Amino acid sequence: MKTHPFNLSLALAGGITLASMIAINSTLASYSSPLLAAWVAHGIGAITSFIILMFVNIFVAGKMAIRPTAGTPFWAYLGGIPGALTVILAAITVNSPLGLSSSLALMMVGQVLFGVVSDSFGLFGLAKRSINLIDGVSLMLMGVGCLMTLFWRG
């Protein structure tokens, strides 16, 4: 599989924005509660997504599909549920002794582990991809890095 550098940049930017969102939202949670912080994050996110959707609809119409096609599975609309849970759980763990870096390290291990499982079984309509030795080594290294972040931070 050949990966385009633009897609790598987008994925890296996604990771940076995710870490930023978690840090900002956890600050709000420390002044209120994880539930309120999650609600505010998703409310602001909905408004931001709506503005982007309108922008795309006006200026890029025809180049990008902005409406779901017929046959879209019902569960495909439910991505906000794990998103809200992610924000709530992250707000709790970031404001605990784990802090931001350990929370992110554990979340990343969980994401990659679930990603490997999803790829190998083709969950959520993804193309099936078998697990290989490199996947196992990568997960092991991430696990070791996570443990180092957790226990050897000084």
Side-chain angles (χ1 to χ4, degrees), residues 78-153:
L78 304 177
I81 294 172
L85 293 174
T86 299
V87 171
I88 292 169
L89 295 173
I92 293 169
T93 60
V94 168
N95 290 316
S96 77
L98 284 176
L100 182 61
S101 61
S102 294
S103 293
L104 289 173
L106 286 167
M107 291 170 65
M108 189 165 52
V109 169
Q111 288 175 28
V112 173
L113 186 61
F114 186 74
V116 168
V117 170
S118 296
D119 282 346
S120 68
F121 290 106
L123 300 179
F124 307 112
L126 296 172
K128 280 189 177 182
R129 182 178 160 265
S130 59
I131 299 173
N132 60 27
L133 180 63
I134 298 298
D135 292 325
V137 170
S138 298
L139 281 171
M140 184 189 73
L141 291 173
M142 288 185 66
V144 169
C146 182
L147 291 173
M148 291 174 69
T149 302
L150 279 170
F151 299 112
W152 295 331
R153 290 173 55 177

Side-chain angles (χ1 to χ4, degrees), residues 2-3 8 22-23 31 62 70-71 84 88 118 128 154:
K2 188 170 183 164
T3 305
L8 295 173
I22 290 170
Y31 286 96
I88 292 169
S118 296
K128 280 189 177 182

